[in-house]
Structure formats: structure tokens, C-alpha cells
Amino acid sequence: MTGKRVASACAGALLVPALLAVPAAADPQPGEAAPRLKKTRCEAVMVEPAAFCRSSKSRWTQVTYYDKGDKIKITDRYDNNRWTKAIVQAEGHPKRYFSSKGKVTRTVRGDFGESWSVRVKVCTSWTKKAKCSPWSRYYPA
């Protein structure tokens, strides 16, 4: 590959929405019940500051930080009648906590400043029994 094509391929890979990083469950065949994961799986996305928890095709929650505009997008499709908890930390600063506030999608300003490295973590709720993802890496690193 030439340098231009490699750069284009790398740039294009970074533009893929974080939602695509959530592994899809296999679609059921006609007459079969939809497969369900037995346990909630929580992971951090390593190509951008994003994390998610997922237990089935219709039960997932995610947080993504967007450097451009200094925005945090919280998605809550976990259907547990509780608000999703997003934890965001700019390197060298205390953690900040955000909530889905009962919305399926909520976007808030981070007010970190676009020059800071940021990492994120998501939890299925604010309770002690909530499942939480590991921290994403600091981005940009």
C-alpha cells in the first residue's frame, strides 16, 4: 500500500462509530428463540475512549467520549429501570460522573478542554450490584 492509502485506511478506521464495537449476537433462525447471553459482559474499546456493557441483543449500555466538541454520549438500552452511570476522567484530574437521566441517548459537554487525554468507564446502574466496564485507555495517548 502506498503511504496515502495507508493513511486513508487508518483515518477511516477511526471514524467507525463506537456502537459498531459492540459485538452482535447471532440472529436466530426461523422458529428459534433469540439467543441470550447468560451474563453481562463489559468491555472497553481500545481504539477510542469508549466502553460498553451488554447482556443480550436488546440490553446494552455504552459511553463514548468525543474530543471534537468535548462531548460525552451516554446510551442506555439496558432495560433495568435504572439510569446508566458514566465515569469520565481527564488525565491528572478527578473522575467525573454522568447519568443517562432516564433517556435512551444523552449527550453532555465534558468541559475538559479538547487538549486533555480522557478515559471512560460505564456501569449498568448506580447501585452497588451494577456491572461496570474496565477503563478505556487514555485518548489521545
Side-chain angles (χ1 to χ4, degrees):
M1 286 183 132
T2 66
K4 287 182 182 178
R5 280 191 260 168
V6 170
S8 295
C10 291
L14 293 176
L15 296 176
V16 176
L19 180 57
L20 296 179
V22 177
D27 288 330
Q29 297 299 318
E32 289 182 2
R36 295 186 84 71
L37 299 174
K38 293 181 181 179
K39 294 183 179 179
T40 298
R41 187 175 74 222
C42 297
E43 297 179 24
V45 178
M46 290 299 138
V47 295
E48 62 185 320
F52 67 91
C53 290
R54 181 171 187 277
S55 69
S56 74
K57 200 170 194 175
S58 61
R59 290 177 50 122
W60 57 273
T61 188
Q62 180 173 326
V63 62
T64 306
Y65 175 78
Y66 297 97
D67 187 46
K68 185 175 183 173
D70 194 27
K71 294 184 181 172
I72 300 154
K73 181 178 178 185
I74 304 163
T75 305
D76 183 358
R77 294 189 175 273
Y78 201 73
D79 193 26
N80 59 353
N81 295 320
R82 301 189 192 300
W83 295 356
T84 291
K85 177 170 137 181
I87 309 165
V88 183
Q89 184 176 29
E91 196 167 23
H93 294 276
K95 297 175 215 165
R96 295 193 43 212
Y97 299 87
F98 300 91
S99 170
S100 62
K101 290 199 174 180
K103 296 180 181 180
V104 172
T105 302
R106 180 173 182 235
T107 302
V108 295
R109 286 198 43 88
D111 294 326
F112 294 113
E114 294 185 32
S115 60
W116 293 99
S117 292
V118 174
R119 68 181 184 162
V120 299
K121 182 177 188 173
V122 69
C123 298
T124 57
S125 73
W126 288 74
T127 68
K128 290 181 181 181
K129 292 184 178 184
K131 301 288 185 183
C132 296
S133 71
W135 283 103
S136 69
R137 70 176 179 89
Y138 277 107
Y139 186 86

